[in-house]
Amino acid sequence: MSRLYGDPIDVWTRDGRPVQFVWRDRLHAVRRVLDHWVISREWWKTSDSDPGERRFWRVEADPGSRIGTYELRFDTASEGWLLVRAWE
């Protein structure tokens, strides 16, 4: 079962892919990217140079002892990350 969150998170990337993130003061190491997709919408654009994209990753990650599945989102307009959903 999954839960929706929408919590802001700090994410470290390598080659554009998340490799670790901090959620609720815990560092999560990304073990595997399960899926990646991009959704573009004209109304998300904040300028002509903004592609209006939201990039999603579904990853397996662990905060130490237990692996969970997490859905992360990057917003190109705000350049911010959110933890959207978690399966723990």
Side-chain angles (χ1 to χ4, degrees):
M1 182 160 110
S2 70
R3 294 187 66 185
L4 294 173
Y5 290 98
D7 294 345
I9 57 173
D10 292 319
V11 177
W12 288 263
T13 62
R14 184 178 305 123
D15 299 324
R17 299 168 65 121
V19 292
Q20 60 185 17
F21 60 93
V22 174
W23 179 50
R24 296 186 173 174
D25 297 324
R26 296 182 75 184
L27 180 65
H28 292 67
V30 173
R31 300 296 179 208
R32 185 166 64 125
V33 173
L34 302 173
D35 201 2
H36 173 251
W37 65 97
V38 178
I39 299 175
S40 298
R41 298 287 187 259
E42 191 65 30
W43 63 84
W44 287 339
K45 294 176 105 177
T46 59
S47 68
D48 289 338
S49 61
D50 177 15
E53 291 178 349
R54 293 193 176 158
R55 301 173 189 163
F56 295 83
W57 283 264
R58 185 165 296 146
V59 300
E60 281 184 349
D62 71 74
S65 61
R66 188 178 57 165
I67 292 178
T69 301
Y70 303 89
E71 191 171 292
L72 314 178
R73 184 184 89 193
F74 178 75
D75 183 343
T76 59
S78 68
E79 296 188 356
W81 287 87
L82 294 177
L83 187 132
V84 178
R85 182 184 304 259
W87 294 261
E88 296 183 283

